[in-house]
Amino acid sequence: MICNRCGSRVPDESKYCMFCGNRVSKIQYYNDDNESDNKSLGSYYLDADFKGDGPKYKKTAGLLGVFLGAFGIHRFYLGYTGIGIAQIVVSLITCTLGGAIWGFIEGLCILCDTGITTDADGNDLV
């Protein structure tokens, strides 16, 4: 299959392009052949399941959580603004200690695939 964003060849069983991170899916359509009355079943690859601005990266979110977790930067990066604001409030109340511990643990969980696995739009982290 071909990625419709970067044009790279992607294995048929892949959900993501290994070069640009685009989420791809296979949909089928009926090919209208104007020269004959036959309609043949063809395939078209589209990132129809993808929502949002672009793929979010697991390593980026994890490292933001580890180093800047007290400010909820990793949550803002993933689109969870409400929880990001809550982390800032907790940091202000606890003089950054509570928010820093919370963000550090979340960052490690993201990096280890045991925590957040999707962004706010429901897309898997790449």
Side-chain angles (χ1 to χ4, degrees):
M1 111 172 94
I2 304 294
C3 175
N4 68 331
R5 181 177 290 166
C6 70
S8 301
R9 185 168 294 284
V10 180
D12 287 340
E13 63 276 358
S14 294
K15 289 184 177 181
Y16 297 96
C17 175
M18 59 189 134
F19 298 102
C20 70
N22 184 39
R23 186 171 183 168
V24 293
S25 63
K26 181 178 177 182
I27 61 171
Q28 294 183 335
Y29 66 95
Y30 283 100
N31 186 13
D32 286 331
D33 189 1
N34 293 335
E35 297 177 7
S36 68
D37 293 334
N38 295 334
K39 288 187 176 185
S40 60
L41 186 63
S43 295
Y44 180 72
Y45 296 94
L46 179 68
D47 59 347
D49 295 333
F50 186 78
K51 300 172 245 157
D53 298 329
K56 303 289 189 213
Y57 297 97
K58 177 174 47 173
K59 288 182 183 177
T60 303
L63 292 175
L64 285 172
V66 168
F67 293 110
L68 297 171
F71 307 108
I73 301 299
H74 62 294
R75 290 296 195 149
F76 289 109
Y77 171 73
L78 294 174
Y80 298 107
T81 56
I83 298 175
I85 292 170
Q87 284 185 300
I88 292 173
V89 170
V90 168
S91 292
L92 291 173
I93 292 171
T94 62
C95 298
T96 68
L97 184 61
I101 293 171
W102 181 8
F104 182 78
I105 292 171
E106 276 189 344
L108 290 179
C109 289
I110 291 170
L111 291 173
C112 296
D113 282 336
T114 57
I116 304 164
T117 57
T118 60
D119 65 3
D121 292 327
N123 299 313
D124 294 328
L125 298 180
V126 179

